[in-house]
Amino acid sequence: MRLSNPITKTVVLILCAALGISVGISMSASAAGPDTDLLNRAKAVFGPLPASMPSPDNPITPEKVKLGNILFWEPRISVDGTVSCAKCHPLGLYAVDGLRKAVGNRCKENPRNSPTIFNAASQISAHWIGNRTSVEDQAKQALVGPPSYGMPSYESVEKVLRGMKGYMAMFKDAFPGEKEPVTADNFAKAVGAFERTLMTPALFDEFMQGNAAALTTQQKRGLALFMDSGCMTCHSGPYLGGQMYQKFGIFEPYEKYTKSLPVDEGRSAVTKSPSDKFLFKVPVLRNVAMTQPYFHDGSVDKLTDAIAIMAKVQLAKDLTSDQLSDIAVFMSSLTGKIPDQILKVPVLPAADQP
Amino acid sequence: MRLSNPITKTVVLILCAALGISVGISMSASAAGPDTDLLNRAKAVFGPLPASMPSPDNPITPEKVKLGNILFWEPRISVDGTVSCAKCHPLGLYAVDGLRKAVGNRCKENPRNSPTIFNAASQISAHWIGNRTSVEDQAKQALVGPPSYGMPSYESVEKVLRGMKGYMAMFKDAFPGEKEPVTADNFAKAVGAFERTLMTPALFDEFMQGNAAALTTQQKRGLALFMDSGCMTCHSGPYLGGQMYQKFGIFEPYEKYTKSLPVDEGRSAVTKSPSDKFLFKVPVLRNVAMTQPYFHDGSVDKLTDAIAIMAKVQLAKDLTSDQLSDIAVFMSSLTGKIPDQILKVPVLPAADQP
């Protein structure tokens, strides 16, 4: 089996976790007490949430974010006038649509579940199988994606945008010096810049900043379990995920528990490599308690069920219902406060001019 | 032909307007100048926009408005999880969806165009043909309307709402003292109370308050034309409409110009009375420049085209392109500022509890 280096390493780490072998980080109690120990271990694995998720290819400017925020809500550039970014990522539902699989223009079902776009722009790629390189790439390709906006071409999107006079000045401000700023590429950059600001700091971050009282006793128990059971082997970094692909179903086929139909073979559809069969991007766990249903196909409704399945198929562990509850309650500490500026509906330009 | 009294009166007024007969309000110039004259005439016809649109049957309370605002955005109570009030009334598009006819669950087409819900709760009824008695009645019936939320029963909606624990406290606050506050009736009252606060004061209101400089010279010319041509005979009151039913196509069949297919016979579908054939509720003109496309079937895209057709079929008048432009530019003075509190996305309760 051909496996890229980081993935081999991850599998070894998971196996160690499954076998109860302590790896890397010392677990011995220190003089500072169990809270400090837990905090230090967690800091080493996760790290603090940054203020935004910049990209050298798409610097964040206030003008770009403003335009991107407006375009995020714009349905008139979809083939049936019903699809905007906000359709599959409603901000009041933590930027998920609550459906098993996303529904696009003319009620077409998308192949997978809508992931949240909060705290999501720093992942290795976009989409569950990494078939989009970045949030900008995702935004652009969505415009012509048959089950999303469904437009026939980028030119057709540009024509609609150029037909609404109100957009011209905003694109000019966001992309100064460009002769024709109203383009699909700039749509993608503006929406991407907006997405790069969608951060939701949570109680967990207060804990990471050293306030041991930010988490309840049960949440700390859940966090310790999350780390000791091996979940953190893949769900690491400030987003608790998003940094690698991983096989879903290491010890048993996932569909045995999720009852998924059809069985999705994941990333191999992108790479055409048999070794990528059943690989999916490890999802970000920020706000996971608010983003039901779970998994790439939205096949599981309850968070505790999702945790139980993950423990079973990824770590060969049977967690007790108390343990599942502890981990789920820990995960609720990842539910962030959505900043007010994210929860603002922008007023869109008029279609017609008197 | 059986006609109720107010409608007979209106038809007489329209005929007078069409024949150029001055009715009711004196048009003689006064010493105070043309602006004051126009202002006084307009005040007598329209009157100021109130701060909210209360109802004795559904008193507005902050708790009810807060709950109604959240429920307005709630798609999980629709049969396919995609329909909320916000779907057909996106607030950033002046509470219209921009489609010819509204699209509900599973992409079902509704019989008519989505009207704006801004400044809309004081109309004689809801919907184009008055088949809903109030905004509360509209909100409630939408839940089980086959082309809208499509739920099988009110009980099924109540079950979903009761399954989301976060709603219980909010319904209790909004409907104190009720043993089981989570009901479809209270859904309707809360959404209705929210809708009764959706007011968008505009430049036109500044003018109505006596600031003659609030409108441009062209807008004042358009307003005078709007009144002198007879538009104001039906589009009167602070909402410029919403207070009566009127035959669409008094002098010629409307479909001759709108190319509507099929031809909608309007209110007679509700009353079963032949005299109500082609009667529609006179729409509110607040924000009309932002709420394309026009008419009950969204058959016309441009505001000036809509005005030309109205002049033709309702008043037997051929307006020049300058006159159409003047009236359209006047109508842009009805485009209100949407208050910030309306443009807030509320965070919805979690579906699951850890």
Side-chain angles (χ1 to χ4, degrees):
Chain A
M1 193 164 77
R2 195 169 55 84
L3 274 176
S4 66
N5 233 8
I7 291 177
T8 315
K9 200 176 138 200
T10 307
V11 169
V12 171
L13 285 166
I14 288 171
L15 289 171
C16 291
L19 298 168
I21 300 165
S22 170
V23 277
I25 302 142
S26 162
M27 289 189 185
S28 62
S30 86
D35 274 2
T36 312
D37 267 6
L38 184 68
L39 187 56
N40 288 337
R41 287 172 58 207
K43 272 185 181 170
V45 176
F46 305 111
L49 191 72
S52 70
M53 300 167 284
S55 150
D57 298 336
N58 186 25
I60 298 174
T61 66
E63 294 80 8
K64 235 189 255 180
V65 172
K66 184 190 161 193
L67 172 62
N69 188 6
I70 291 173
L71 291 169
F72 182 87
W73 287 86
E74 180 56 82
R76 293 169 292 184
I77 47 174
S78 66
V79 73
D80 67 348
T82 70
V83 182
S84 68
C85 307
K87 180 180 166 71
C88 297
H89 303 289
L91 302 177
L93 281 166
Y94 281 80
V96 296
D97 57 17
L99 306 174
R100 299 207 189 282
K101 294 180 182 178
V103 172
N105 75 85
R106 295 180 184 132
C107 283
K108 287 185 201 120
E109 192 178 72
N110 279 254
R112 296 179 189 84
N113 176 264
S114 294
T116 180
I117 52 164
F118 290 165
N119 319 290
S122 275
Q123 296 179 82
I124 41 165
S125 60
H127 279 190
W128 281 94
I129 59 170
N131 52 341
R132 302 291 182 265
T133 57
S134 64
V135 288
E136 287 81 4
D137 183 38
Q138 192 280 328
K140 186 178 173 188
Q141 290 203 49
L143 294 171
V144 294
S148 45
Y149 287 64
M151 290 292 272
S153 65
Y154 292 123
E155 291 70 30
S156 61
V157 176
E158 290 163 353
K159 196 179 160 197
V160 179
L161 285 173
R162 289 173 194 160
M164 292 187 273
K165 303 283 180 296
Y167 274 119
M168 181 52 87
M170 285 187 271
F171 272 89
K172 266 190 201 298
D173 282 353
F175 301 96
E178 295 191 17
K179 209 176 155 187
E180 177 45 271
V182 187
T183 64
D185 277 324
N186 284 346
F187 164 89
K189 283 182 184 166
V191 170
F194 171 61
E195 289 189 67
R196 290 177 182 284
T197 68
L198 302 180
M199 314 298 290
T200 64
L203 280 178
F204 180 68
D205 299 292
E206 287 187 33
F207 179 76
M208 294 292 284
Q209 282 152 21
N211 176 10
L215 300 194
T216 65
T217 307
Q218 191 184 7
Q219 285 174 326
K220 284 181 235 180
R221 213 161 55 219
L223 169 58
L225 258 170
F226 182 84
M227 295 200 288
D228 296 343
S229 306
C231 313
M232 64 132 187
T233 314
C234 297
H235 292 284
S236 59
Y239 309 105
L240 295 89
Q243 303 311 311
M244 64 173 80
Y245 300 102
Q246 185 50 268
K247 186 176 175 183
F248 186 20
I250 294 179
F251 290 92
E252 288 184 273
Y254 70 83
E255 64 272 19
K256 182 176 166 189
Y257 299 95
T258 61
K259 312 290 176 206
S260 296
L261 252 176
V263 176
D264 187 335
E265 296 195 343
R267 186 155 169 77
S268 60
V270 184
T271 62
K272 312 294 173 203
S273 163
S275 64
D276 288 340
K277 256 192 175 179
F278 307 114
L279 256 60
F280 292 88
K281 197 178 59 186
V282 173
V284 160
L285 292 187
R286 294 254 168 201
N287 299 311
V288 69
M290 302 300 283
T291 58
Q292 310 81 346
Y294 299 105
F295 300 141
H296 62 275
D297 55 3
S299 50
V300 171
D301 285 334
K302 285 183 72 71
L303 183 55
T304 44
D305 292 344
I307 300 166
I309 292 169
M310 287 302 284
K312 192 83 187 162
V313 305
Q314 301 301 96
L315 302 162
K317 286 196 171 151
D318 283 304
L319 298 181
T320 66
S321 68
D322 280 354
Q323 288 175 317
L324 293 172
S325 168
D326 287 353
I327 295 178
V329 168
F330 152 63
M331 285 179 176
S332 71
S333 79
L334 301 170
T335 301
K337 185 175 155 32
I338 310 175
D340 286 345
Q341 80 267 18
I342 296 178
L343 294 170
K344 257 188 206 164
V345 184
V347 178
L348 306 190
D352 188 23
Q353 303 290 311
Chain B
M1 193 165 75
R2 195 169 56 84
L3 274 177
S4 66
N5 232 8
I7 291 177
T8 315
K9 201 176 138 199
T10 307
V11 170
V12 171
L13 285 166
I14 288 172
L15 289 170
C16 291
L19 298 167
I21 300 165
S22 171
V23 276
I25 302 141
S26 161
M27 288 191 185
S28 62
S30 84
D35 273 2
T36 312
D37 268 6
L38 182 68
L39 187 56
N40 289 337
R41 287 171 57 206
K43 272 185 182 171
V45 175
F46 305 111
L49 190 71
S52 70
M53 300 167 284
S55 149
D57 298 336
N58 187 25
I60 297 174
T61 66
E63 294 79 9
K64 235 190 257 180
V65 171
K66 185 190 161 194
L67 173 62
N69 188 5
I70 291 173
L71 291 169
F72 182 86
W73 287 86
E74 180 55 83
R76 292 169 293 183
I77 47 174
S78 66
V79 74
D80 67 348
T82 71
V83 182
S84 67
C85 308
K87 181 181 167 70
C88 297
H89 303 288
L91 303 177
L93 280 166
Y94 281 80
V96 295
D97 57 16
L99 306 174
R100 300 207 187 283
K101 294 179 182 178
V103 172
N105 75 85
R106 296 181 183 133
C107 284
K108 288 185 199 121
E109 192 178 72
N110 279 255
R112 296 178 190 85
N113 176 265
S114 294
T116 180
I117 52 162
F118 289 163
N119 320 290
S122 276
Q123 297 179 80
I124 40 165
S125 59
H127 279 192
W128 281 94
I129 60 170
N131 51 342
R132 302 292 183 264
T133 57
S134 64
V135 288
E136 288 81 4
D137 182 39
Q138 192 280 328
K140 186 178 173 189
Q141 290 202 49
L143 294 171
V144 295
S148 44
Y149 287 64
M151 289 294 270
S153 65
Y154 293 124
E155 290 70 28
S156 61
V157 175
E158 290 163 353
K159 197 180 159 196
V160 179
L161 285 173
R162 288 173 195 159
M164 293 186 274
K165 303 283 181 298
Y167 274 119
M168 181 52 84
M170 286 187 269
F171 272 89
K172 267 191 200 296
D173 283 353
F175 301 97
E178 295 190 18
K179 208 175 156 188
E180 179 44 272
V182 186
T183 64
D185 277 324
N186 284 346
F187 164 90
K189 282 183 184 164
V191 171
F194 172 62
E195 289 188 67
R196 290 179 181 284
T197 67
L198 302 180
M199 314 298 291
T200 64
L203 280 178
F204 180 68
D205 299 291
E206 287 186 33
F207 180 76
M208 295 291 284
Q209 281 151 21
N211 176 10
L215 300 193
T216 65
T217 306
Q218 190 184 9
Q219 285 174 326
K220 285 181 234 179
R221 212 160 56 219
L223 169 58
L225 257 169
F226 182 85
M227 295 199 289
D228 296 342
S229 307
C231 313
M232 63 132 187
T233 315
C234 298
H235 292 284
S236 58
Y239 309 104
L240 296 88
Q243 303 312 312
M244 64 174 79
Y245 300 101
Q246 184 51 270
K247 186 176 177 183
F248 186 20
I250 293 178
F251 289 93
E252 288 184 273
Y254 70 82
E255 64 272 20
K256 181 175 167 191
Y257 299 94
T258 61
K259 311 291 177 206
S260 296
L261 250 177
V263 176
D264 186 334
E265 296 196 343
R267 187 155 168 79
S268 60
V270 184
T271 63
K272 312 295 175 202
S273 163
S275 64
D276 288 341
K277 257 191 174 182
F278 307 114
L279 256 59
F280 292 87
K281 196 178 59 185
V282 174
V284 161
L285 292 187
R286 294 255 168 199
N287 299 312
V288 68
M290 301 300 283
T291 58
Q292 310 81 347
Y294 298 106
F295 300 141
H296 62 275
D297 56 2
S299 51
V300 171
D301 286 332
K302 285 182 72 70
L303 183 55
T304 44
D305 291 344
I307 300 166
I309 292 170
M310 287 303 284
K312 192 83 189 164
V313 305
Q314 301 302 95
L315 302 162
K317 285 195 170 151
D318 284 304
L319 297 182
T320 66
S321 68
D322 280 353
Q323 288 175 317
L324 293 172
S325 168
D326 286 353
I327 294 177
V329 168
F330 152 63
M331 285 178 176
S332 71
S333 79
L334 301 170
T335 301
K337 185 175 156 29
I338 309 175
D340 286 346
Q341 80 268 18
I342 296 178
L343 295 171
K344 257 188 207 163
V345 184
V347 178
L348 305 190
D352 188 22
Q353 303 290 310

